[in-house]
Amino acid sequence: PKMEKDYSESVKALLPEVEQLANSGQLRAALDKLHALEKKTRAAADLWSTTQLLERMVEVCGTASEWVMLEQEVAAMSKKHGQLKQAIAKMVQKAMTFVDNVADEQPRIELIEALRTVTEGKIHVEVERARLTRMRVEIYEKHGQVTEACDTLQEIQVETYGSMDRREKTDFILEQMRLCLAKRDFIRMAIISHKINPKYFQREGTEDLKLRFYELMIQYDLHEENFLEVCRHYNQVYTTPCIKEDAARWPAVLQNIILYLVLSPFDNAQSDMLHRFKQDHNLEKLELCAQLVKSFTTVELTRWPAVESIYGPEFRSTDVFSAQTDDGNKRWMALRDRVIEHNVRVIAAYYTRATIPRLTELLDLGADDVEAFLSKAVVSGTIYARVDRPAGVVSFAKPREGEEQLNAWASDVSKLLGLVEKTTHLIAKEEIVNKIARAI
Protein backbone atom coordinates (compact mmCIF):
# COMPACT_ATOMS: atom_id res chain seq x y z
CA PRO A 1 0.00 0.00 0.00
CA LYS A 2 1.01 3.58 -0.64
CA MET A 3 2.32 5.55 2.35
CA GLU A 4 -0.17 8.21 3.45
CA LYS A 5 1.90 9.97 6.11
CA ASP A 6 5.54 9.93 7.23
CA TYR A 7 5.97 9.25 10.97
CA SER A 8 9.76 8.84 10.88
CA GLU A 9 10.40 12.01 12.96
CA SER A 10 7.92 10.90 15.61
CA VAL A 11 9.57 7.48 15.77
CA LYS A 12 13.05 8.99 16.11
CA ALA A 13 11.81 11.19 18.95
CA LEU A 14 10.06 8.29 20.73
CA LEU A 15 12.83 5.68 20.62
CA PRO A 16 15.20 7.36 23.18
CA GLU A 17 12.25 7.77 25.54
CA VAL A 18 11.32 4.09 25.15
CA GLU A 19 14.91 3.04 25.76
CA GLN A 20 15.02 5.08 28.98
CA LEU A 21 11.80 3.44 30.23
CA ALA A 22 13.09 -0.05 29.31
CA ASN A 23 16.39 0.55 31.12
CA SER A 24 14.52 1.61 34.26
CA GLY A 25 12.49 -1.63 34.13
CA GLN A 26 9.18 -0.09 33.02
CA LEU A 27 8.66 -2.52 30.15
CA ARG A 28 4.89 -2.29 30.01
CA ALA A 29 4.96 1.52 29.84
CA ALA A 30 7.59 1.36 27.06
CA LEU A 31 5.53 -1.14 25.08
CA ASP A 32 2.34 0.92 25.50
CA LYS A 33 4.04 3.96 23.97
CA LEU A 34 5.31 1.84 21.06
CA HIS A 35 1.84 0.33 20.54
CA ALA A 36 0.19 3.75 20.39
CA LEU A 37 2.52 5.02 17.68
CA GLU A 38 2.59 1.68 15.84
CA LYS A 39 -1.18 1.87 15.34
CA LYS A 40 -0.79 5.23 13.57
CA THR A 41 2.19 4.18 11.41
CA ARG A 42 0.40 0.97 10.40
CA ALA A 43 -2.74 2.88 9.42
CA ALA A 44 -0.62 5.30 7.38
CA ALA A 45 1.28 2.38 5.73
CA ASP A 46 4.62 3.87 6.84
CA LEU A 47 6.87 0.83 6.36
CA TRP A 48 10.12 2.20 7.80
CA SER A 49 8.47 3.57 10.94
CA THR A 50 6.38 0.44 11.56
CA THR A 51 9.44 -1.76 11.11
CA GLN A 52 11.47 0.31 13.59
CA LEU A 53 8.70 0.14 16.18
CA LEU A 54 8.15 -3.63 15.84
CA GLU A 55 11.88 -4.31 16.04
CA ARG A 56 12.13 -2.11 19.16
CA MET A 57 9.25 -4.03 20.81
CA VAL A 58 11.13 -7.28 20.25
CA GLU A 59 14.36 -5.70 21.49
CA VAL A 60 12.74 -4.39 24.70
CA CYS A 61 11.38 -7.85 25.60
CA GLY A 62 14.47 -9.74 24.46
CA THR A 63 16.99 -7.54 26.26
CA ALA A 64 15.02 -7.94 29.49
CA SER A 65 14.84 -11.75 28.90
CA GLU A 66 11.04 -11.61 29.10
CA TRP A 67 10.51 -14.51 26.73
CA VAL A 68 6.80 -15.07 27.35
CA MET A 69 6.15 -11.36 26.79
CA LEU A 70 8.24 -11.52 23.59
CA GLU A 71 6.12 -14.42 22.28
CA GLN A 72 2.91 -12.56 23.07
CA GLU A 73 4.09 -9.35 21.40
CA VAL A 74 5.21 -11.10 18.20
CA ALA A 75 1.96 -13.08 17.98
CA ALA A 76 -0.20 -9.98 18.64
CA MET A 77 1.63 -7.70 16.20
CA SER A 78 1.56 -10.27 13.38
CA LYS A 79 -2.24 -10.54 13.66
CA LYS A 80 -2.95 -6.78 13.56
CA HIS A 81 -5.28 -5.70 10.76
CA GLY A 82 -3.40 -4.27 7.79
CA GLN A 83 0.01 -5.19 9.19
CA LEU A 84 2.76 -4.75 6.57
CA LYS A 85 4.36 -8.01 5.38
CA GLN A 86 7.89 -6.62 5.25
CA ALA A 87 7.50 -5.31 8.80
CA ILE A 88 6.43 -8.76 10.05
CA ALA A 89 9.45 -10.33 8.31
CA LYS A 90 11.84 -7.86 9.98
CA MET A 91 10.19 -8.43 13.37
CA VAL A 92 10.55 -12.21 13.08
CA GLN A 93 14.18 -11.85 11.98
CA LYS A 94 14.88 -9.67 15.01
CA ALA A 95 13.16 -12.15 17.34
CA MET A 96 15.27 -14.97 15.89
CA THR A 97 18.47 -13.23 17.01
CA PHE A 98 17.36 -13.72 20.65
CA VAL A 99 16.72 -17.49 20.37
CA ASP A 100 20.36 -18.37 21.16
CA ASN A 101 20.29 -15.98 24.15
CA VAL A 102 17.66 -18.09 25.95
CA ALA A 103 19.62 -19.95 28.60
CA ASP A 104 17.09 -22.67 29.49
CA GLU A 105 16.00 -25.19 26.90
CA GLN A 106 12.26 -25.23 27.59
CA PRO A 107 11.76 -21.44 27.13
CA ARG A 108 13.90 -21.64 23.98
CA ILE A 109 11.67 -24.40 22.56
CA GLU A 110 8.57 -22.36 23.42
CA LEU A 111 9.99 -19.26 21.71
CA ILE A 112 10.92 -21.26 18.59
CA GLU A 113 7.44 -22.84 18.46
CA ALA A 114 5.78 -19.44 18.94
CA LEU A 115 7.78 -17.98 16.05
CA ARG A 116 7.01 -21.05 13.90
CA THR A 117 3.31 -20.52 14.59
CA VAL A 118 3.57 -16.85 13.54
CA THR A 119 5.38 -17.76 10.29
CA GLU A 120 3.12 -20.69 9.38
CA GLY A 121 1.48 -20.34 5.97
CA LYS A 122 3.05 -16.91 5.27
CA ILE A 123 5.09 -16.88 2.06
CA HIS A 124 6.97 -13.68 3.01
CA VAL A 125 8.55 -15.37 6.06
CA GLU A 126 9.00 -18.88 4.59
CA VAL A 127 12.81 -18.71 4.85
CA GLU A 128 12.59 -17.68 8.52
CA ARG A 129 10.20 -20.57 9.19
CA ALA A 130 12.63 -23.01 7.56
CA ARG A 131 15.50 -21.73 9.76
CA LEU A 132 13.37 -21.91 12.90
CA THR A 133 12.37 -25.48 12.01
CA ARG A 134 16.06 -26.36 11.65
CA MET A 135 16.68 -25.01 15.18
CA ARG A 136 13.80 -27.11 16.54
CA VAL A 137 15.10 -30.22 14.76
CA GLU A 138 18.56 -29.78 16.30
CA ILE A 139 16.97 -29.86 19.77
CA TYR A 140 14.98 -33.01 18.87
CA GLU A 141 18.13 -34.69 17.62
CA LYS A 142 20.09 -33.65 20.71
CA HIS A 143 17.58 -35.69 22.77
CA GLY A 144 17.76 -38.66 20.37
CA GLN A 145 14.26 -38.05 18.98
CA VAL A 146 15.26 -38.87 15.39
CA THR A 147 11.74 -39.74 14.19
CA GLU A 148 10.29 -36.42 15.44
CA ALA A 149 13.24 -34.51 13.99
CA CYS A 150 12.82 -36.18 10.59
CA ASP A 151 9.03 -35.68 10.49
CA THR A 152 9.33 -32.01 11.51
CA LEU A 153 11.94 -31.27 8.85
CA GLN A 154 9.86 -33.02 6.16
CA GLU A 155 7.11 -30.40 6.63
CA ILE A 156 9.32 -27.80 4.96
CA GLN A 157 9.38 -27.99 1.15
CA VAL A 158 12.39 -25.72 0.59
CA GLU A 159 12.69 -26.61 -3.11
CA THR A 160 9.64 -24.37 -3.72
CA TYR A 161 11.13 -21.36 -1.88
CA GLY A 162 12.15 -18.72 -4.37
CA SER A 163 13.58 -16.35 -1.76
CA MET A 164 16.05 -18.84 -0.27
CA ASP A 165 19.65 -18.93 -1.49
CA ARG A 166 20.43 -22.06 -3.54
CA ARG A 167 23.30 -23.11 -1.31
CA GLU A 168 21.15 -22.90 1.82
CA LYS A 169 18.36 -24.75 0.02
CA THR A 170 20.74 -27.58 -0.95
CA ASP A 171 22.11 -27.72 2.59
CA PHE A 172 18.55 -28.01 3.93
CA ILE A 173 17.70 -30.87 1.55
CA LEU A 174 20.93 -32.68 2.52
CA GLU A 175 19.86 -32.41 6.16
CA GLN A 176 16.48 -33.95 5.26
CA MET A 177 18.30 -36.80 3.49
CA ARG A 178 20.59 -37.36 6.49
CA LEU A 179 17.68 -37.57 8.92
CA CYS A 180 15.79 -39.98 6.64
CA LEU A 181 18.86 -42.25 6.65
CA ALA A 182 19.07 -41.97 10.44
CA LYS A 183 15.38 -42.94 10.63
CA ARG A 184 16.02 -45.80 8.12
CA ASP A 185 13.38 -44.35 5.78
CA PHE A 186 15.24 -45.26 2.59
CA ILE A 187 12.33 -44.80 0.19
CA ARG A 188 11.72 -41.19 1.25
CA MET A 189 15.46 -40.54 1.21
CA ALA A 190 15.64 -41.66 -2.44
CA ILE A 191 12.70 -39.38 -3.34
CA ILE A 192 14.28 -36.37 -1.62
CA SER A 193 17.65 -36.98 -3.32
CA HIS A 194 16.01 -36.26 -6.71
CA LYS A 195 15.34 -32.69 -5.56
CA ILE A 196 19.07 -31.92 -5.92
CA ASN A 197 20.48 -31.46 -9.41
CA PRO A 198 24.08 -32.84 -9.42
CA LYS A 199 25.01 -30.22 -12.06
CA TYR A 200 24.83 -27.62 -9.27
CA PHE A 201 28.00 -29.15 -7.78
CA GLN A 202 29.98 -28.03 -10.82
CA ARG A 203 29.88 -24.48 -9.46
CA GLU A 204 32.74 -23.09 -7.39
CA GLY A 205 32.39 -23.25 -3.62
CA THR A 206 30.08 -26.29 -3.58
CA GLU A 207 32.67 -29.02 -2.93
CA ASP A 208 31.63 -29.50 0.72
CA LEU A 209 27.98 -29.94 -0.31
CA LYS A 210 28.98 -32.30 -3.13
CA LEU A 211 30.96 -34.55 -0.78
CA ARG A 212 28.08 -34.61 1.74
CA PHE A 213 25.56 -35.47 -0.98
CA TYR A 214 27.58 -38.36 -2.41
CA GLU A 215 28.44 -39.68 1.08
CA LEU A 216 24.70 -39.95 1.78
CA MET A 217 24.03 -41.54 -1.62
CA ILE A 218 26.80 -44.09 -0.99
CA GLN A 219 25.15 -45.10 2.31
CA TYR A 220 21.78 -45.43 0.56
CA ASP A 221 23.07 -47.55 -2.35
CA LEU A 222 25.12 -49.74 0.00
CA HIS A 223 21.89 -50.52 1.82
CA GLU A 224 20.26 -51.34 -1.53
CA GLU A 225 23.38 -53.37 -2.53
CA ASN A 226 23.56 -51.42 -5.78
CA PHE A 227 27.34 -51.61 -6.06
CA LEU A 228 27.69 -50.04 -9.53
CA GLU A 229 25.88 -46.91 -8.29
CA VAL A 230 28.13 -46.88 -5.21
CA CYS A 231 31.10 -46.98 -7.58
CA ARG A 232 29.69 -44.05 -9.60
CA HIS A 233 29.20 -42.02 -6.42
CA TYR A 234 32.79 -42.73 -5.32
CA ASN A 235 33.93 -41.70 -8.81
CA GLN A 236 32.22 -38.31 -8.32
CA VAL A 237 34.06 -37.94 -5.00
CA TYR A 238 37.34 -39.03 -6.66
CA THR A 239 37.05 -36.38 -9.40
CA THR A 240 36.44 -33.59 -6.85
CA PRO A 241 39.55 -31.33 -6.94
CA CYS A 242 40.04 -31.23 -3.15
CA ILE A 243 40.17 -35.06 -3.07
CA LYS A 244 42.18 -35.61 -6.26
CA GLU A 245 44.86 -33.16 -5.16
CA ASP A 246 45.15 -34.65 -1.65
CA ALA A 247 47.60 -37.57 -1.74
CA ALA A 248 46.34 -38.74 1.65
CA ARG A 249 42.69 -39.05 0.59
CA TRP A 250 42.45 -40.21 -3.04
CA PRO A 251 44.05 -43.70 -2.59
CA ALA A 252 41.24 -44.82 -0.23
CA VAL A 253 38.57 -43.47 -2.59
CA LEU A 254 40.14 -45.10 -5.66
CA GLN A 255 40.47 -48.40 -3.78
CA ASN A 256 36.76 -48.28 -2.89
CA ILE A 257 35.91 -47.58 -6.55
CA ILE A 258 37.82 -50.68 -7.70
CA LEU A 259 36.47 -52.96 -4.96
CA TYR A 260 32.84 -51.98 -5.53
CA LEU A 261 33.37 -52.14 -9.30
CA VAL A 262 34.49 -55.77 -9.20
CA LEU A 263 31.59 -56.51 -6.82
CA SER A 264 29.10 -55.19 -9.39
CA PRO A 265 27.37 -57.80 -11.60
CA PHE A 266 28.91 -58.03 -15.07
CA ASP A 267 27.27 -55.94 -17.80
CA ASN A 268 28.37 -53.48 -20.50
CA ALA A 269 28.46 -50.49 -18.13
CA GLN A 270 30.51 -52.36 -15.52
CA SER A 271 32.94 -53.71 -18.12
CA ASP A 272 33.38 -50.29 -19.73
CA MET A 273 34.04 -48.64 -16.37
CA LEU A 274 36.54 -51.33 -15.38
CA HIS A 275 38.53 -50.85 -18.59
CA ARG A 276 38.48 -47.05 -18.15
CA PHE A 277 39.89 -47.28 -14.64
CA LYS A 278 42.54 -49.68 -15.91
CA GLN A 279 43.93 -46.69 -17.87
CA ASP A 280 44.07 -44.46 -14.74
CA HIS A 281 47.72 -43.73 -13.94
CA ASN A 282 47.01 -43.49 -10.21
CA LEU A 283 45.98 -47.16 -10.22
CA GLU A 284 49.62 -48.14 -10.75
CA LYS A 285 50.35 -46.77 -7.26
CA LEU A 286 47.83 -49.21 -5.74
CA GLU A 287 49.51 -52.49 -6.65
CA LEU A 288 46.90 -54.94 -5.34
CA CYS A 289 44.00 -53.02 -6.91
CA ALA A 290 45.87 -52.91 -10.24
CA GLN A 291 46.38 -56.69 -10.09
CA LEU A 292 42.69 -57.23 -9.26
CA VAL A 293 41.58 -55.10 -12.23
CA LYS A 294 44.00 -56.94 -14.51
CA SER A 295 42.66 -60.34 -13.42
CA PHE A 296 39.09 -59.24 -14.23
CA THR A 297 39.96 -57.66 -17.59
CA THR A 298 42.19 -60.50 -18.86
CA VAL A 299 40.50 -63.50 -20.53
CA GLU A 300 42.20 -65.98 -18.22
CA LEU A 301 40.97 -68.16 -15.37
CA THR A 302 41.31 -66.64 -11.89
CA ARG A 303 41.20 -69.37 -9.23
CA TRP A 304 39.34 -68.36 -6.05
CA PRO A 305 41.84 -69.99 -3.61
CA ALA A 306 44.59 -67.91 -5.24
CA VAL A 307 42.49 -64.73 -5.01
CA GLU A 308 41.80 -65.44 -1.33
CA SER A 309 45.47 -65.91 -0.51
CA ILE A 310 46.69 -62.86 -2.50
CA TYR A 311 44.05 -60.26 -1.65
CA GLY A 312 42.51 -61.61 1.57
CA PRO A 313 45.11 -60.37 4.10
CA GLU A 314 44.83 -56.71 3.01
CA PHE A 315 41.26 -56.39 1.70
CA ARG A 316 39.68 -58.21 4.66
CA SER A 317 40.89 -55.35 6.88
CA THR A 318 39.07 -52.69 4.80
CA ASP A 319 35.52 -51.46 5.52
CA VAL A 320 34.33 -53.05 2.26
CA PHE A 321 35.30 -56.64 3.17
CA SER A 322 35.70 -56.31 6.94
CA ALA A 323 35.82 -59.71 8.61
CA GLN A 324 34.24 -58.15 11.73
CA THR A 325 30.91 -57.22 10.11
CA ASP A 326 28.12 -59.25 8.51
CA ASP A 327 28.08 -56.91 5.50
CA GLY A 328 31.84 -57.34 5.02
CA ASN A 329 31.56 -61.14 5.07
CA LYS A 330 28.58 -61.00 2.72
CA ARG A 331 30.53 -58.84 0.22
CA TRP A 332 33.55 -61.18 0.44
CA MET A 333 31.31 -64.08 -0.61
CA ALA A 334 29.87 -61.85 -3.36
CA LEU A 335 33.45 -61.32 -4.61
CA ARG A 336 33.86 -65.11 -4.76
CA ASP A 337 30.72 -65.28 -6.92
CA ARG A 338 32.07 -62.56 -9.25
CA VAL A 339 35.36 -64.47 -9.65
CA ILE A 340 33.47 -67.67 -10.54
CA GLU A 341 31.21 -65.77 -12.98
CA HIS A 342 34.34 -64.34 -14.65
CA ASN A 343 35.77 -67.85 -14.95
CA VAL A 344 32.52 -69.11 -16.50
CA ARG A 345 32.76 -66.39 -19.17
CA VAL A 346 36.39 -67.30 -19.86
CA ILE A 347 35.52 -71.00 -20.25
CA ALA A 348 32.63 -70.12 -22.59
CA ALA A 349 35.05 -68.08 -24.72
CA TYR A 350 37.61 -70.91 -25.08
CA TYR A 351 35.48 -74.09 -25.09
CA THR A 352 32.71 -75.24 -27.43
CA ARG A 353 32.01 -78.35 -25.33
CA ALA A 354 33.17 -79.42 -21.88
CA THR A 355 32.28 -82.19 -19.45
CA ILE A 356 30.82 -81.41 -16.00
CA PRO A 357 33.78 -83.08 -14.18
CA ARG A 358 36.21 -80.88 -16.15
CA LEU A 359 34.21 -77.75 -15.26
CA THR A 360 34.15 -78.66 -11.55
CA GLU A 361 37.94 -78.95 -11.74
CA LEU A 362 38.37 -75.59 -13.52
CA LEU A 363 35.92 -73.69 -11.30
CA ASP A 364 36.82 -75.36 -7.96
CA LEU A 365 33.13 -76.11 -7.37
CA GLY A 366 30.78 -79.06 -6.92
CA ALA A 367 28.63 -80.28 -9.85
CA ASP A 368 25.45 -78.64 -8.47
CA ASP A 369 27.19 -75.29 -7.95
CA VAL A 370 28.64 -75.41 -11.48
CA GLU A 371 25.17 -75.91 -12.87
CA ALA A 372 23.78 -73.08 -10.70
CA PHE A 373 26.43 -70.59 -11.93
CA LEU A 374 26.00 -71.69 -15.55
CA SER A 375 22.23 -71.22 -15.25
CA LYS A 376 22.68 -67.74 -13.76
CA ALA A 377 25.05 -66.70 -16.56
CA VAL A 378 22.68 -68.03 -19.23
CA VAL A 379 19.66 -66.25 -17.69
CA SER A 380 21.58 -62.95 -17.50
CA GLY A 381 22.52 -63.34 -21.18
CA THR A 382 26.31 -63.15 -20.67
CA ILE A 383 26.95 -66.61 -22.21
CA TYR A 384 25.15 -69.28 -24.25
CA ALA A 385 25.18 -72.82 -22.82
CA ARG A 386 23.14 -76.03 -22.98
CA VAL A 387 23.58 -78.84 -20.43
CA ASP A 388 23.18 -82.49 -21.45
CA ARG A 389 22.71 -84.05 -18.02
CA PRO A 390 22.64 -87.76 -19.01
CA ALA A 391 25.89 -87.34 -20.98
CA GLY A 392 27.33 -84.87 -18.42
CA VAL A 393 28.35 -82.46 -21.19
CA VAL A 394 27.90 -78.67 -21.49
CA SER A 395 27.81 -77.15 -24.96
CA PHE A 396 28.85 -73.50 -25.33
CA ALA A 397 28.49 -73.37 -29.14
CA LYS A 398 25.45 -71.37 -30.11
CA PRO A 399 23.53 -73.09 -32.97
CA ARG A 400 23.24 -70.91 -36.05
CA GLU A 401 19.99 -70.04 -37.72
CA GLY A 402 19.47 -71.12 -41.38
CA GLU A 403 20.26 -67.66 -42.75
CA GLU A 404 23.45 -67.37 -40.71
CA GLN A 405 24.56 -70.84 -41.82
CA LEU A 406 23.93 -70.01 -45.50
CA ASN A 407 25.85 -66.75 -45.13
CA ALA A 408 28.77 -68.63 -43.56
CA TRP A 409 28.74 -71.19 -46.41
CA ALA A 410 28.57 -68.44 -49.03
CA SER A 411 31.52 -66.75 -47.35
CA ASP A 412 33.49 -70.04 -47.29
CA VAL A 413 32.73 -70.72 -50.98
CA SER A 414 33.81 -67.18 -51.89
CA LYS A 415 37.09 -67.68 -50.03
CA LEU A 416 37.64 -71.05 -51.73
CA LEU A 417 37.00 -69.58 -55.20
CA GLY A 418 39.38 -66.74 -54.37
CA LEU A 419 42.10 -69.21 -53.42
CA VAL A 420 41.50 -71.28 -56.62
CA GLU A 421 41.74 -68.15 -58.77
CA LYS A 422 44.93 -67.02 -57.03
CA THR A 423 46.47 -70.51 -57.39
CA THR A 424 45.58 -70.64 -61.12
CA HIS A 425 47.19 -67.22 -61.60
CA LEU A 426 50.39 -68.31 -59.83
CA ILE A 427 50.58 -71.55 -61.93
CA ALA A 428 50.13 -69.59 -65.19
CA LYS A 429 52.78 -67.11 -64.08
CA GLU A 430 55.22 -69.92 -63.29
CA GLU A 431 54.63 -71.57 -66.71
CA ILE A 432 55.32 -68.30 -68.54
CA VAL A 433 58.55 -67.77 -66.54
CA ASN A 434 59.70 -71.32 -67.42
CA LYS A 435 58.93 -70.84 -71.16
CA ILE A 436 60.96 -67.64 -71.24
CA ALA A 437 63.85 -69.33 -69.44
CA ARG A 438 63.88 -72.19 -72.01
CA ALA A 439 63.72 -69.81 -74.94
CA ILE A 440 66.80 -67.98 -73.67
Side-chain angles (χ1 to χ4, degrees):
K2 190 176 180 183
M3 186 169 70
E4 295 173 8
K5 189 176 177 181
D6 187 357
Y7 281 95
S8 57
E9 293 304 322
S10 303
V11 171
K12 286 175 184 174
L14 180 67
L15 292 182
E17 189 182 335
V18 168
E19 191 171 345
Q20 195 174 353
L21 285 169
N23 290 338
S24 63
Q26 300 176 52
L27 298 185
R28 183 46 62 192
L31 289 172
D32 288 342
K33 284 184 176 290
L34 290 169
H35 287 161
L37 186 55
E38 185 272 335
K39 187 175 181 181
K40 295 177 183 177
T41 60
R42 174 163 41 88
D46 183 352
L47 176 61
W48 184 86
S49 301
T50 307
T51 302
Q52 290 294 314
L53 292 169
L54 293 181
E55 284 185 341
R56 188 50 58 97
M57 288 176 200
V58 170
E59 205 172 308
V60 165
C61 300
T63 307
S65 298
E66 290 288 343
W67 309 120
V68 176
M69 191 182 285
L70 173 57
E71 292 165 24
Q72 292 169 349
E73 285 298 316
V74 171
M77 289 299 110
S78 65
K79 291 175 184 174
K80 292 287 184 184
H81 177 70
Q83 190 61 275
L84 302 167
K85 291 177 180 178
Q86 296 96 318
I88 294 174
K90 292 286 184 184
M91 175 181 69
V92 171
Q93 287 168 10
K94 188 72 175 176
M96 284 172 67
T97 61
F98 288 100
V99 170
D100 291 333
N101 297 347
V102 185
D104 297 326
E105 194 171 87
Q106 192 55 39
R108 187 186 306 140
I109 292 171
E110 288 170 5
L111 178 57
I112 290 170
E113 288 296 349
L115 292 173
R116 287 185 71 223
T117 304
V118 167
T119 55
E120 189 174 4
K122 295 184 177 72
I123 199 166
H124 52 281
V125 282
E126 60 187 8
V127 176
E128 285 73 21
R129 178 171 172 76
R131 289 170 184 162
L132 286 162
T133 303
R134 188 92 177 257
M135 292 178 191
R136 184 70 184 96
V137 164
E138 284 173 7
I139 296 171
Y140 273 133
E141 206 174 355
K142 184 179 168 186
H143 292 285
Q145 296 172 292
V146 177
T147 303
E148 290 83 352
C150 185
D151 293 342
T152 304
L153 206 61
Q154 295 312 313
E155 297 170 9
I156 310 298
Q157 306 297 325
V158 287
E159 65 276 8
T160 63
Y161 292 4
S163 52
M164 185 181 273
D165 174 62
R166 182 133 186 220
R167 182 182 173 83
E168 188 179 355
K169 203 182 287 187
T170 305
D171 181 52
F172 202 96
I173 294 171
L174 288 173
E175 194 65 13
Q176 289 179 332
M177 289 169 62
R178 184 183 68 79
L179 285 171
C180 282
L181 273 181
K183 187 187 169 186
R184 311 288 290 173
D185 188 349
F186 294 100
I187 295 171
R188 188 175 292 277
M189 189 269 181
I191 293 167
I192 294 171
S193 69
H194 292 305
K195 295 177 182 178
I196 295 178
N197 186 350
K199 288 183 180 177
Y200 170 67
F201 299 128
Q202 294 171 4
R203 298 185 183 184
E204 284 186 24
T206 58
E207 287 186 1
D208 58 326
L209 296 177
K210 178 182 179 181
L211 294 177
R212 276 175 60 197
F213 173 73
Y214 284 110
E215 183 58 42
L216 292 169
M217 292 307 297
I218 286 166
Q219 290 180 46
Y220 168 74
D221 279 309
L222 278 178
H223 173 264
E224 298 294 312
E225 295 187 0
N226 194 345
F227 297 129
L228 191 59
E229 286 303 316
V230 171
C231 176
R232 285 182 177 133
H233 299 323
Y234 269 119
N235 188 28
Q236 290 293 334
V237 173
Y238 179 61
T239 54
T240 305
C242 67
I243 299 291
K244 194 128 189 177
E245 292 163 10
D246 189 345
R249 295 170 78 184
W250 69 255
V253 177
L254 183 57
Q255 178 174 285
N256 284 339
I257 291 173
I258 299 305
L259 296 184
Y260 284 115
L261 194 49
V262 296
L263 275 174
S264 305
F266 176 83
D267 60 15
N268 289 339
Q270 188 261 4
S271 178
D272 175 62
M273 211 164 180
L274 201 58
H275 281 85
R276 277 195 286 118
F277 274 104
K278 190 180 179 183
Q279 308 300 322
D280 192 322
H281 296 301
N282 284 336
L283 191 61
E284 296 167 8
K285 298 170 187 174
L286 303 177
E287 191 178 340
L288 276 180
C289 287
Q291 284 180 25
L292 188 62
V293 170
K294 187 180 178 184
S295 65
F296 272 89
T297 52
T298 308
V299 189
E300 290 178 5
L301 289 177
T302 305
R303 310 300 280 267
W304 172 245
V307 170
E308 207 166 12
S309 61
I310 295 169
Y311 305 109
E314 183 167 331
F315 288 164
R316 290 292 269 166
S317 61
T318 63
D319 290 338
V320 182
F321 297 119
S322 173
Q324 312 303 320
T325 64
D326 291 339
D327 285 341
N329 290 323
K330 192 175 174 184
R331 288 184 203 124
W332 186 248
M333 294 316 295
L335 179 64
R336 171 180 170 271
D337 291 351
R338 299 294 170 262
V339 169
I340 294 167
E341 286 165 12
H342 167 76
N343 290 341
V344 168
R345 292 194 298 275
V346 172
I347 291 168
Y350 283 118
Y351 283 78
T352 53
R353 292 171 82 245
T355 61
I356 296 287
R358 177 62 176 150
L359 290 176
T360 60
E361 186 186 325
L362 291 172
L363 296 173
D364 301 307
L365 293 172
D368 290 343
D369 290 334
V370 166
E371 201 168 303
F373 276 99
L374 282 173
S375 302
K376 196 189 292 185
V378 170
V379 169
S380 65
T382 52
I383 66 164
Y384 175 89
R386 288 291 178 269
V387 181
D388 183 348
R389 275 182 173 162
V393 174
V394 179
S395 172
F396 296 103
K398 189 174 183 180
R400 292 175 176 177
E401 292 182 9
E403 193 176 336
E404 281 183 280
Q405 190 68 54
L406 287 172
N407 286 339
W409 285 345
S411 175
D412 290 344
V413 170
S414 296
K415 285 178 184 174
L416 179 61
L417 291 173
L419 286 171
V420 169
E421 190 178 341
K422 189 175 181 182
T423 307
T424 307
H425 173 71
L426 289 172
I427 291 169
K429 183 181 174 184
E430 193 67 28
E431 285 176 348
I432 292 167
V433 169
N434 282 336
K435 279 180 186 178
I436 293 168
R438 272 201 258 63
I440 293 170

